[in-house]
Amino acid sequence: MLEISNLVKRYGSDAPVLKGLDLVVEGNTVVSVVGASGAGKSTMLRCINRLVEPTSGSIQLNGRELVNLRGANLRHARRKIGMVFQGFNLIDRLTVMENVLAGRLGYVSLYQAMTRKFPQTDIDRAFHLMDRVGIAHYANKRADELSGGERQRVGVVRALMQEPEILLADEPTASLDPKTSEQIMVLLQSLASELSLPVLINIHNVSQARTYTDRIVGLRNGQMIFDGTPGEFNQEALDAIYGGIEAPDETGGEEQPTEEAQTP
Amino acid sequence: MVEQTAELTARPWTRYSRKERWIRFAIYFVTLFAVVWAIRDIDIFWPWVWDAPTQIQNLGSRMWPPEFEAWSAILNAMLETVHIATLSTMLTIFIALPVSYIAAQNTTPNRLTLWIGRFILVSSRSVNTIIWALLFVAIFGPGVLAGILAVMFRSVGFIGKLMGEAIEEIDRRPVEAMEATGASRMKVVLFGIVPQVMPAFFAIVILRWDINIRESTVLGLVGAGGIGVLLQGSIDTFAWQTVATILLAIIGLVLLGEALTSMLRKKVL
Amino acid sequence: MKETKSGADPLTGQKWKKPPFIASPWLRYGLLVAVVVYLYWTFNTLPFNWDRIAEGLPRAARIFGGAFPPSFERGELMWTGFKESFQIAFLATLLGVILSIPIALMAAKNLAPLPIYLLGRGLIILSRSFHPVIVAILFVAAVGFGPLAGILTLILYSIGFVAKLLAEKVEEIDWGQMEAMRAAGAGFFKTLIYAVFPQILPRQIGLSMYQLDSNLRASAVVGIVGAGGIGSTLMNAFGRYDYDFAFAILILIVGVILVSEGISGWVRKKIW
């Protein structure tokens, strides 16, 4: 269970990006966070695994406070939080298998990491997960030889390798073409129920949020202004979140950058 | 799915195949062997190596504090250094441009001139400034002239090579258009090539001037003029505090040159 | 030109001049005058010893006469010199490149905290500020004649070049990969090994090859001030007016440099 209470983030002396956010995510729900660019979605997600340092507030994962952790404690907490990125953030020059095993870096020793001598259990787990998402045959290919959708699958598997208690996804489909991005959303949805894992997805595409998630959270100017089921997410909520800022991506992502830009 | 582990047999995975691992080991081994050979074979008196940090510290302490008594002589020598760099860069242009013209594949008149051009560039580039200086000191005696000639002979290769490459990269079409008007060779060069390589030319000359300033500081160590003469003299007489002053002056000059060239580059380009 | 817009004027008889390269006439002619004055001034103040220079031509004739044909007779001496130069260049490259990695990481703004960054930058600036020949002279004064001074000099020379360019490469790395590794709970060293090293590896190998080639050239030069290698052999030959031997060494130096440049270029192209 993830409990965020009164979370504030302020960069330097500017106006805060997050203004006292409260959010509780339970069980294996898939929660999408929608909001215009600059609403604080990405900052909120990065506060959870402390890639961004929160200014004040509290974040608890299964009863463990995350905000004050340092050093080894922080790294141990991060192992339990998987993250999927918008730009995949794979290590381009390493093989798919190495990228996937990188999800175990919080567990193995420095020597094992350096020599790539991962425990057989990790390798088994990697193969199973890769089989599940359909990329096992790429194990020894270099990550930059894959297409965008395949790369994001590697990213998902890497996050799952951590044996996470929660999965964070920061715009996981924004760099993909519409068809591939639907596939990734389906994948995230089904993995959440298979692994009974809560998933928190930042997403720009409102129609995908409606279709593939159990709950929608709307942010605007660092404050939560909507929290409900996709059914409750009506035009009024949409206007409240995006009104006067920009047209939301209602139809399905034609404006998104396609994966051609990503594949070498 | 992860719970299905039992159904699937364990699949081993290693980063490198057996062959790749052997190649890696071979590379490691060859490198190690080369290191061991080099260390065992080289003519080094090992006690000196262990003593080196103390010796270096010692030298450092003898240099402190810098002594500024000879400042006017140092200033003069610095000026001379700058003159060597500037004059030789200016004079080099007159040699390097024709050479680059015949060393560029698209402008050279024929194969023979191409190879002559390339030969000049290669021989100029592969002999270091200091070695050129050694030669010219032997011919013309110690002094500024040997220094200027040495820097020039090295710069011809540098400027010539880069200019040649700039010429090879030009857009063919304006040249063709000029040729189509029936212009003479000289006019084609003037209207079709010169405007295209102008920016490259300034960038290269400025860059080389900067390098030449650094090179000119060491010419004196073989007697070819500039601040190096003073440096060598101070070292020979163990005037370490003066050496420190000279070193500071050289740093100042190099930084000044760098600042000036970056300013010029912004102005011109 | 744009003057043709005023259609009332007859088009014939208009004057056109190429717009000058430098717009302000003051600056244009000022520069020209400055160059002339500069040339006049330098030629008058620089200490040219014209009598000695006048002897140049006959001397050149004597030197080149003595140099032809180049004498490869003392092959033994040449071999020792070249071998030593190789050893100096090889050891200095190895040590220099190994030392460059931590210094480059220290000098990368995105990785290092400010005090460490300044220390790293300072080390790089320090090793870059002097021409290797000056460094060699100082090391020869400190640790005596021979290859040790040469190795120390070229280590510093390698750090100045490799660490600087490597630090620039580290500053350009894709930060997302760093984030991903940190999000997986990897510590500093694991993040380095997985997110930083793979990204800088091609540049690192390219730079090392380039530096080996460049150290080999430099080792011939630092030898001239007594830091071992073929440069010392060349200097001795010059000192004893052994021009035929010196010329042979020079030819070999040029040959070796060309071969090494070729090999280094080929390897870099292969790996890139």
PDB file of all heavy atoms in Angstrom, chain B residues 126-128 131, chain C residues 72 78 81-82 85 216-221 224 229-235 246-260:
ATOM      1  N   SER B 126      55.068  15.140 -40.015  1.00  0.00           N
ATOM      2  CA  SER B 126      55.600  14.064 -39.177  1.00  0.00           C
ATOM      3  C   SER B 126      56.892  14.445 -38.469  1.00  0.00           C
ATOM      4  O   SER B 126      57.362  13.685 -37.638  1.00  0.00           O
ATOM      5  CB  SER B 126      55.759  12.766 -39.958  1.00  0.00           C
ATOM      6  OG  SER B 126      55.822  13.006 -41.311  1.00  0.00           O
ATOM      7  N   VAL B 127      57.470  15.584 -38.798  1.00  0.00           N
ATOM      8  CA  VAL B 127      58.633  16.036 -38.043  1.00  0.00           C
ATOM      9  C   VAL B 127      58.159  17.115 -37.079  1.00  0.00           C
ATOM     10  O   VAL B 127      57.515  18.081 -37.473  1.00  0.00           O
ATOM     11  CB  VAL B 127      59.726  16.587 -38.982  1.00  0.00           C
ATOM     12  CG1 VAL B 127      60.904  17.069 -38.174  1.00  0.00           C
ATOM     13  CG2 VAL B 127      60.139  15.520 -39.960  1.00  0.00           C
ATOM     14  N   ASN B 128      58.471  16.926 -35.818  1.00  0.00           N
ATOM     15  CA  ASN B 128      57.994  17.859 -34.799  1.00  0.00           C
ATOM     16  C   ASN B 128      58.731  19.194 -34.887  1.00  0.00           C
ATOM     17  O   ASN B 128      59.860  19.266 -35.361  1.00  0.00           O
ATOM     18  CB  ASN B 128      58.224  17.228 -33.440  1.00  0.00           C
ATOM     19  CG  ASN B 128      57.482  17.957 -32.369  1.00  0.00           C
ATOM     20  OD1 ASN B 128      57.886  19.037 -31.969  1.00  0.00           O
ATOM     21  ND2 ASN B 128      56.396  17.382 -31.926  1.00  0.00           N
ATOM     22  N   ILE B 131      62.206  19.259 -33.608  1.00  0.00           N
ATOM     23  CA  ILE B 131      63.215  18.613 -34.451  1.00  0.00           C
ATOM     24  C   ILE B 131      63.557  19.514 -35.635  1.00  0.00           C
ATOM     25  O   ILE B 131      64.725  19.654 -36.019  1.00  0.00           O
ATOM     26  CB  ILE B 131      62.723  17.228 -34.911  1.00  0.00           C
ATOM     27  CG1 ILE B 131      62.527  16.341 -33.678  1.00  0.00           C
ATOM     28  CG2 ILE B 131      63.700  16.601 -35.870  1.00  0.00           C
ATOM     29  CD1 ILE B 131      62.043  14.950 -33.961  1.00  0.00           C
TER      30      ILE B 131
ATOM     31  N   PHE C  72      72.735   3.693 -41.917  1.00  0.00           N
ATOM     32  CA  PHE C  72      71.979   2.809 -41.026  1.00  0.00           C
ATOM     33  C   PHE C  72      72.929   1.814 -40.361  1.00  0.00           C
ATOM     34  O   PHE C  72      72.505   0.756 -39.916  1.00  0.00           O
ATOM     35  CB  PHE C  72      70.901   2.071 -41.817  1.00  0.00           C
ATOM     36  CG  PHE C  72      69.796   2.982 -42.284  1.00  0.00           C
ATOM     37  CD1 PHE C  72      69.885   3.618 -43.518  1.00  0.00           C
ATOM     38  CD2 PHE C  72      68.691   3.214 -41.478  1.00  0.00           C
ATOM     39  CE1 PHE C  72      68.884   4.467 -43.943  1.00  0.00           C
ATOM     40  CE2 PHE C  72      67.682   4.064 -41.913  1.00  0.00           C
ATOM     41  CZ  PHE C  72      67.778   4.696 -43.141  1.00  0.00           C
ATOM     42  N   MET C  78      70.062   2.374 -32.878  1.00  0.00           N
ATOM     43  CA  MET C  78      68.740   2.845 -33.291  1.00  0.00           C
ATOM     44  C   MET C  78      67.664   1.972 -32.699  1.00  0.00           C
ATOM     45  O   MET C  78      66.658   2.447 -32.200  1.00  0.00           O
ATOM     46  CB  MET C  78      68.635   2.801 -34.817  1.00  0.00           C
ATOM     47  CG  MET C  78      68.947   4.122 -35.455  1.00  0.00           C
ATOM     48  SD  MET C  78      68.348   4.129 -37.125  1.00  0.00           S
ATOM     49  CE  MET C  78      69.783   3.688 -37.997  1.00  0.00           C
ATOM     50  N   GLY C  81      67.104   2.721 -29.136  1.00  0.00           N
ATOM     51  CA  GLY C  81      66.391   3.983 -28.996  1.00  0.00           C
ATOM     52  C   GLY C  81      64.912   3.831 -29.270  1.00  0.00           C
ATOM     53  O   GLY C  81      64.076   4.261 -28.479  1.00  0.00           O
ATOM     54  N   PHE C  82      64.596   3.174 -30.392  1.00  0.00           N
ATOM     55  CA  PHE C  82      63.176   3.020 -30.736  1.00  0.00           C
ATOM     56  C   PHE C  82      62.457   2.151 -29.722  1.00  0.00           C
ATOM     57  O   PHE C  82      61.320   2.430 -29.337  1.00  0.00           O
ATOM     58  CB  PHE C  82      63.027   2.422 -32.135  1.00  0.00           C
ATOM     59  CG  PHE C  82      62.989   3.474 -33.193  1.00  0.00           C
ATOM     60  CD1 PHE C  82      64.046   3.670 -34.052  1.00  0.00           C
ATOM     61  CD2 PHE C  82      61.871   4.293 -33.304  1.00  0.00           C
ATOM     62  CE1 PHE C  82      64.008   4.654 -35.002  1.00  0.00           C
ATOM     63  CE2 PHE C  82      61.830   5.282 -34.267  1.00  0.00           C
ATOM     64  CZ  PHE C  82      62.905   5.465 -35.111  1.00  0.00           C
ATOM     65  N   SER C  85      61.667   4.173 -26.801  1.00  0.00           N
ATOM     66  CA  SER C  85      60.558   5.082 -27.088  1.00  0.00           C
ATOM     67  C   SER C  85      59.218   4.349 -27.013  1.00  0.00           C
ATOM     68  O   SER C  85      58.253   4.850 -26.451  1.00  0.00           O
ATOM     69  CB  SER C  85      60.713   5.689 -28.482  1.00  0.00           C
ATOM     70  OG  SER C  85      61.421   6.887 -28.401  1.00  0.00           O
ATOM     71  N   LEU C 216      53.800   8.301 -28.743  1.00  0.00           N
ATOM     72  CA  LEU C 216      54.962   7.812 -29.487  1.00  0.00           C
ATOM     73  C   LEU C 216      55.662   8.991 -30.181  1.00  0.00           C
ATOM     74  O   LEU C 216      56.886   9.110 -30.149  1.00  0.00           O
ATOM     75  CB  LEU C 216      54.502   6.779 -30.509  1.00  0.00           C
ATOM     76  CG  LEU C 216      55.596   5.935 -31.122  1.00  0.00           C
ATOM     77  CD1 LEU C 216      56.306   5.157 -30.039  1.00  0.00           C
ATOM     78  CD2 LEU C 216      55.012   4.968 -32.134  1.00  0.00           C
ATOM     79  N   ARG C 217      54.867   9.874 -30.782  1.00  0.00           N
ATOM     80  CA  ARG C 217      55.450  11.078 -31.385  1.00  0.00           C
ATOM     81  C   ARG C 217      56.153  11.906 -30.332  1.00  0.00           C
ATOM     82  O   ARG C 217      57.285  12.354 -30.510  1.00  0.00           O
ATOM     83  CB  ARG C 217      54.356  11.978 -31.959  1.00  0.00           C
ATOM     84  CG  ARG C 217      53.731  11.507 -33.194  1.00  0.00           C
ATOM     85  CD  ARG C 217      52.402  12.206 -33.349  1.00  0.00           C
ATOM     86  NE  ARG C 217      51.711  11.689 -34.505  1.00  0.00           N
ATOM     87  CZ  ARG C 217      51.737  12.285 -35.691  1.00  0.00           C
ATOM     88  NH1 ARG C 217      52.347  13.418 -35.840  1.00  0.00           N
ATOM     89  NH2 ARG C 217      51.126  11.741 -36.712  1.00  0.00           N
ATOM     90  N   ALA C 218      55.446  12.131 -29.222  1.00  0.00           N
ATOM     91  CA  ALA C 218      55.982  13.015 -28.206  1.00  0.00           C
ATOM     92  C   ALA C 218      57.232  12.425 -27.573  1.00  0.00           C
ATOM     93  O   ALA C 218      58.133  13.166 -27.175  1.00  0.00           O
ATOM     94  CB  ALA C 218      54.932  13.288 -27.139  1.00  0.00           C
ATOM     95  N   SER C 219      57.305  11.091 -27.503  1.00  0.00           N
ATOM     96  CA  SER C 219      58.474  10.498 -26.847  1.00  0.00           C
ATOM     97  C   SER C 219      59.736  10.774 -27.655  1.00  0.00           C
ATOM     98  O   SER C 219      60.830  10.867 -27.098  1.00  0.00           O
ATOM     99  CB  SER C 219      58.274   8.995 -26.655  1.00  0.00           C
ATOM    100  OG  SER C 219      58.628   8.298 -27.813  1.00  0.00           O
ATOM    101  N   ALA C 220      59.576  10.922 -28.983  1.00  0.00           N
ATOM    102  CA  ALA C 220      60.741  11.281 -29.787  1.00  0.00           C
ATOM    103  C   ALA C 220      61.189  12.700 -29.464  1.00  0.00           C
ATOM    104  O   ALA C 220      62.370  13.031 -29.572  1.00  0.00           O
ATOM    105  CB  ALA C 220      60.405  11.178 -31.271  1.00  0.00           C
ATOM    106  N   VAL C 221      60.235  13.535 -29.049  1.00  0.00           N
ATOM    107  CA  VAL C 221      60.550  14.938 -28.812  1.00  0.00           C
ATOM    108  C   VAL C 221      61.117  15.170 -27.414  1.00  0.00           C
ATOM    109  O   VAL C 221      62.101  15.875 -27.247  1.00  0.00           O
ATOM    110  CB  VAL C 221      59.279  15.789 -29.011  1.00  0.00           C
ATOM    111  CG1 VAL C 221      59.566  17.238 -28.708  1.00  0.00           C
ATOM    112  CG2 VAL C 221      58.780  15.632 -30.416  1.00  0.00           C
ATOM    113  N   ILE C 224      64.745  14.717 -26.711  1.00  0.00           N
ATOM    114  CA  ILE C 224      65.721  15.737 -27.099  1.00  0.00           C
ATOM    115  C   ILE C 224      66.238  16.499 -25.886  1.00  0.00           C
ATOM    116  O   ILE C 224      67.374  16.930 -25.850  1.00  0.00           O
ATOM    117  CB  ILE C 224      65.079  16.682 -28.141  1.00  0.00           C
ATOM    118  CG1 ILE C 224      64.922  15.908 -29.452  1.00  0.00           C
ATOM    119  CG2 ILE C 224      65.911  17.925 -28.351  1.00  0.00           C
ATOM    120  CD1 ILE C 224      64.239  16.660 -30.520  1.00  0.00           C
ATOM    121  N   GLY C 229      64.740   7.482 -24.868  1.00  0.00           N
ATOM    122  CA  GLY C 229      64.125   7.135 -26.134  1.00  0.00           C
ATOM    123  C   GLY C 229      64.935   7.593 -27.336  1.00  0.00           C
ATOM    124  O   GLY C 229      66.067   8.075 -27.218  1.00  0.00           O
ATOM    125  N   ILE C 230      64.320   7.476 -28.514  1.00  0.00           N
ATOM    126  CA  ILE C 230      65.011   7.753 -29.766  1.00  0.00           C
ATOM    127  C   ILE C 230      65.407   9.224 -29.862  1.00  0.00           C
ATOM    128  O   ILE C 230      66.383   9.581 -30.527  1.00  0.00           O
ATOM    129  CB  ILE C 230      64.136   7.323 -30.966  1.00  0.00           C
ATOM    130  CG1 ILE C 230      64.910   7.364 -32.273  1.00  0.00           C
ATOM    131  CG2 ILE C 230      62.892   8.178 -31.064  1.00  0.00           C
ATOM    132  CD1 ILE C 230      65.977   6.295 -32.371  1.00  0.00           C
ATOM    133  N   GLY C 231      64.636  10.099 -29.185  1.00  0.00           N
ATOM    134  CA  GLY C 231      64.959  11.523 -29.202  1.00  0.00           C
ATOM    135  C   GLY C 231      66.341  11.788 -28.639  1.00  0.00           C
ATOM    136  O   GLY C 231      67.099  12.608 -29.161  1.00  0.00           O
ATOM    137  N   SER C 232      66.687  11.071 -27.583  1.00  0.00           N
ATOM    138  CA  SER C 232      68.015  11.239 -27.002  1.00  0.00           C
ATOM    139  C   SER C 232      69.089  10.772 -27.977  1.00  0.00           C
ATOM    140  O   SER C 232      70.139  11.403 -28.124  1.00  0.00           O
ATOM    141  CB  SER C 232      68.123  10.452 -25.692  1.00  0.00           C
ATOM    142  OG  SER C 232      67.229  10.983 -24.744  1.00  0.00           O
ATOM    143  N   THR C 233      68.812   9.651 -28.641  1.00  0.00           N
ATOM    144  CA  THR C 233      69.757   9.149 -29.635  1.00  0.00           C
ATOM    145  C   THR C 233      69.962  10.189 -30.737  1.00  0.00           C
ATOM    146  O   THR C 233      71.095  10.466 -31.147  1.00  0.00           O
ATOM    147  CB  THR C 233      69.235   7.850 -30.258  1.00  0.00           C
ATOM    148  OG1 THR C 233      68.600   7.074 -29.237  1.00  0.00           O
ATOM    149  CG2 THR C 233      70.340   7.061 -30.888  1.00  0.00           C
ATOM    150  N   LEU C 234      68.851  10.793 -31.190  1.00  0.00           N
ATOM    151  CA  LEU C 234      68.917  11.797 -32.252  1.00  0.00           C
ATOM    152  C   LEU C 234      69.731  12.998 -31.789  1.00  0.00           C
ATOM    153  O   LEU C 234      70.592  13.509 -32.510  1.00  0.00           O
ATOM    154  CB  LEU C 234      67.495  12.225 -32.618  1.00  0.00           C
ATOM    155  CG  LEU C 234      67.372  13.316 -33.680  1.00  0.00           C
ATOM    156  CD1 LEU C 234      67.826  12.789 -35.028  1.00  0.00           C
ATOM    157  CD2 LEU C 234      65.945  13.828 -33.785  1.00  0.00           C
ATOM    158  N   MET C 235      69.442  13.442 -30.566  1.00  0.00           N
ATOM    159  CA  MET C 235      70.145  14.602 -30.019  1.00  0.00           C
ATOM    160  C   MET C 235      71.644  14.332 -29.953  1.00  0.00           C
ATOM    161  O   MET C 235      72.460  15.182 -30.317  1.00  0.00           O
ATOM    162  CB  MET C 235      69.585  14.894 -28.629  1.00  0.00           C
ATOM    163  CG  MET C 235      70.034  16.204 -28.057  1.00  0.00           C
ATOM    164  SD  MET C 235      69.423  17.563 -29.056  1.00  0.00           S
ATOM    165  CE  MET C 235      70.290  18.915 -28.291  1.00  0.00           C
ATOM    166  N   ALA C 246      72.060  10.864 -37.913  1.00  0.00           N
ATOM    167  CA  ALA C 246      70.882  11.635 -37.505  1.00  0.00           C
ATOM    168  C   ALA C 246      69.804  11.578 -38.591  1.00  0.00           C
ATOM    169  O   ALA C 246      68.623  11.406 -38.298  1.00  0.00           O
ATOM    170  CB  ALA C 246      71.268  13.079 -37.229  1.00  0.00           C
ATOM    171  N   PHE C 247      70.248  11.698 -39.825  1.00  0.00           N
ATOM    172  CA  PHE C 247      69.293  11.697 -40.927  1.00  0.00           C
ATOM    173  C   PHE C 247      68.590  10.338 -41.029  1.00  0.00           C
ATOM    174  O   PHE C 247      67.374  10.276 -41.252  1.00  0.00           O
ATOM    175  CB  PHE C 247      70.012  12.035 -42.231  1.00  0.00           C
ATOM    176  CG  PHE C 247      69.081  12.381 -43.345  1.00  0.00           C
ATOM    177  CD1 PHE C 247      68.155  13.409 -43.187  1.00  0.00           C
ATOM    178  CD2 PHE C 247      69.099  11.689 -44.539  1.00  0.00           C
ATOM    179  CE1 PHE C 247      67.280  13.720 -44.211  1.00  0.00           C
ATOM    180  CE2 PHE C 247      68.227  11.998 -45.562  1.00  0.00           C
ATOM    181  CZ  PHE C 247      67.322  13.023 -45.395  1.00  0.00           C
ATOM    182  N   ALA C 248      69.359   9.281 -40.802  1.00  0.00           N
ATOM    183  CA  ALA C 248      68.758   7.946 -40.830  1.00  0.00           C
ATOM    184  C   ALA C 248      67.705   7.832 -39.736  1.00  0.00           C
ATOM    185  O   ALA C 248      66.597   7.308 -39.962  1.00  0.00           O
ATOM    186  CB  ALA C 248      69.839   6.889 -40.637  1.00  0.00           C
ATOM    187  N   ILE C 249      68.027   8.328 -38.543  1.00  0.00           N
ATOM    188  CA  ILE C 249      67.064   8.281 -37.435  1.00  0.00           C
ATOM    189  C   ILE C 249      65.805   9.049 -37.812  1.00  0.00           C
ATOM    190  O   ILE C 249      64.686   8.587 -37.605  1.00  0.00           O
ATOM    191  CB  ILE C 249      67.686   8.871 -36.153  1.00  0.00           C
ATOM    192  CG1 ILE C 249      68.847   8.003 -35.679  1.00  0.00           C
ATOM    193  CG2 ILE C 249      66.652   8.991 -35.064  1.00  0.00           C
ATOM    194  CD1 ILE C 249      69.584   8.572 -34.497  1.00  0.00           C
ATOM    195  N   LEU C 250      66.006  10.245 -38.389  1.00  0.00           N
ATOM    196  CA  LEU C 250      64.860  11.071 -38.768  1.00  0.00           C
ATOM    197  C   LEU C 250      63.942  10.343 -39.735  1.00  0.00           C
ATOM    198  O   LEU C 250      62.718  10.346 -39.578  1.00  0.00           O
ATOM    199  CB  LEU C 250      65.363  12.354 -39.419  1.00  0.00           C
ATOM    200  CG  LEU C 250      65.113  13.586 -38.577  1.00  0.00           C
ATOM    201  CD1 LEU C 250      66.095  14.665 -38.902  1.00  0.00           C
ATOM    202  CD2 LEU C 250      63.709  14.065 -38.792  1.00  0.00           C
ATOM    203  N   ILE C 251      64.564   9.711 -40.741  1.00  0.00           N
ATOM    204  CA  ILE C 251      63.759   8.981 -41.725  1.00  0.00           C
ATOM    205  C   ILE C 251      62.954   7.894 -41.021  1.00  0.00           C
ATOM    206  O   ILE C 251      61.756   7.721 -41.260  1.00  0.00           O
ATOM    207  CB  ILE C 251      64.664   8.356 -42.805  1.00  0.00           C
ATOM    208  CG1 ILE C 251      65.259   9.462 -43.680  1.00  0.00           C
ATOM    209  CG2 ILE C 251      63.879   7.369 -43.662  1.00  0.00           C
ATOM    210  CD1 ILE C 251      66.259   8.948 -44.681  1.00  0.00           C
ATOM    211  N   LEU C 252      63.610   7.186 -40.097  1.00  0.00           N
ATOM    212  CA  LEU C 252      62.912   6.117 -39.390  1.00  0.00           C
ATOM    213  C   LEU C 252      61.791   6.670 -38.516  1.00  0.00           C
ATOM    214  O   LEU C 252      60.717   6.086 -38.443  1.00  0.00           O
ATOM    215  CB  LEU C 252      63.904   5.324 -38.537  1.00  0.00           C
ATOM    216  CG  LEU C 252      64.522   4.134 -39.264  1.00  0.00           C
ATOM    217  CD1 LEU C 252      65.460   3.393 -38.334  1.00  0.00           C
ATOM    218  CD2 LEU C 252      63.430   3.194 -39.768  1.00  0.00           C
ATOM    219  N   ILE C 253      62.059   7.806 -37.840  1.00  0.00           N
ATOM    220  CA  ILE C 253      61.015   8.407 -37.002  1.00  0.00           C
ATOM    221  C   ILE C 253      59.794   8.704 -37.854  1.00  0.00           C
ATOM    222  O   ILE C 253      58.662   8.344 -37.510  1.00  0.00           O
ATOM    223  CB  ILE C 253      61.512   9.703 -36.321  1.00  0.00           C
ATOM    224  CG1 ILE C 253      62.531   9.367 -35.229  1.00  0.00           C
ATOM    225  CG2 ILE C 253      60.348  10.465 -35.702  1.00  0.00           C
ATOM    226  CD1 ILE C 253      63.061  10.577 -34.492  1.00  0.00           C
ATOM    227  N   VAL C 254      60.021   9.345 -39.002  1.00  0.00           N
ATOM    228  CA  VAL C 254      58.888   9.678 -39.871  1.00  0.00           C
ATOM    229  C   VAL C 254      58.154   8.408 -40.287  1.00  0.00           C
ATOM    230  O   VAL C 254      56.921   8.332 -40.240  1.00  0.00           O
ATOM    231  CB  VAL C 254      59.379  10.469 -41.104  1.00  0.00           C
ATOM    232  CG1 VAL C 254      58.256  10.603 -42.104  1.00  0.00           C
ATOM    233  CG2 VAL C 254      59.889  11.826 -40.690  1.00  0.00           C
ATOM    234  N   GLY C 255      58.936   7.372 -40.647  1.00  0.00           N
ATOM    235  CA  GLY C 255      58.316   6.115 -41.063  1.00  0.00           C
ATOM    236  C   GLY C 255      57.476   5.509 -39.951  1.00  0.00           C
ATOM    237  O   GLY C 255      56.314   5.144 -40.151  1.00  0.00           O
ATOM    238  N   VAL C 256      58.063   5.442 -38.735  1.00  0.00           N
ATOM    239  CA  VAL C 256      57.349   4.832 -37.609  1.00  0.00           C
ATOM    240  C   VAL C 256      56.082   5.626 -37.303  1.00  0.00           C
ATOM    241  O   VAL C 256      55.014   5.060 -37.057  1.00  0.00           O
ATOM    242  CB  VAL C 256      58.270   4.773 -36.374  1.00  0.00           C
ATOM    243  CG1 VAL C 256      57.461   4.443 -35.123  1.00  0.00           C
ATOM    244  CG2 VAL C 256      59.344   3.732 -36.579  1.00  0.00           C
ATOM    245  N   ILE C 257      56.187   6.962 -37.340  1.00  0.00           N
ATOM    246  CA  ILE C 257      55.014   7.783 -37.038  1.00  0.00           C
ATOM    247  C   ILE C 257      53.903   7.534 -38.056  1.00  0.00           C
ATOM    248  O   ILE C 257      52.734   7.398 -37.700  1.00  0.00           O
ATOM    249  CB  ILE C 257      55.407   9.273 -37.009  1.00  0.00           C
ATOM    250  CG1 ILE C 257      56.122   9.574 -35.699  1.00  0.00           C
ATOM    251  CG2 ILE C 257      54.188  10.157 -37.159  1.00  0.00           C
ATOM    252  CD1 ILE C 257      56.684  10.969 -35.620  1.00  0.00           C
ATOM    253  N   LEU C 258      54.288   7.437 -39.330  1.00  0.00           N
ATOM    254  CA  LEU C 258      53.265   7.189 -40.350  1.00  0.00           C
ATOM    255  C   LEU C 258      52.588   5.845 -40.121  1.00  0.00           C
ATOM    256  O   LEU C 258      51.365   5.733 -40.173  1.00  0.00           O
ATOM    257  CB  LEU C 258      53.887   7.234 -41.740  1.00  0.00           C
ATOM    258  CG  LEU C 258      54.255   8.625 -42.234  1.00  0.00           C
ATOM    259  CD1 LEU C 258      54.829   8.562 -43.627  1.00  0.00           C
ATOM    260  CD2 LEU C 258      53.045   9.534 -42.198  1.00  0.00           C
ATOM    261  N   VAL C 259      53.393   4.811 -39.834  1.00  0.00           N
ATOM    262  CA  VAL C 259      52.813   3.486 -39.599  1.00  0.00           C
ATOM    263  C   VAL C 259      51.898   3.518 -38.385  1.00  0.00           C
ATOM    264  O   VAL C 259      50.768   3.015 -38.420  1.00  0.00           O
ATOM    265  CB  VAL C 259      53.941   2.445 -39.397  1.00  0.00           C
ATOM    266  CG1 VAL C 259      53.357   1.124 -38.905  1.00  0.00           C
ATOM    267  CG2 VAL C 259      54.699   2.237 -40.693  1.00  0.00           C
ATOM    268  N   SER C 260      52.374   4.144 -37.306  1.00  0.00           N
ATOM    269  CA  SER C 260      51.578   4.150 -36.086  1.00  0.00           C
ATOM    270  C   SER C 260      50.300   4.945 -36.274  1.00  0.00           C
ATOM    271  O   SER C 260      49.240   4.569 -35.775  1.00  0.00           O
ATOM    272  CB  SER C 260      52.422   4.691 -34.923  1.00  0.00           C
ATOM    273  OG  SER C 260      51.873   5.860 -34.399  1.00  0.00           O
TER     274      SER C 260
END
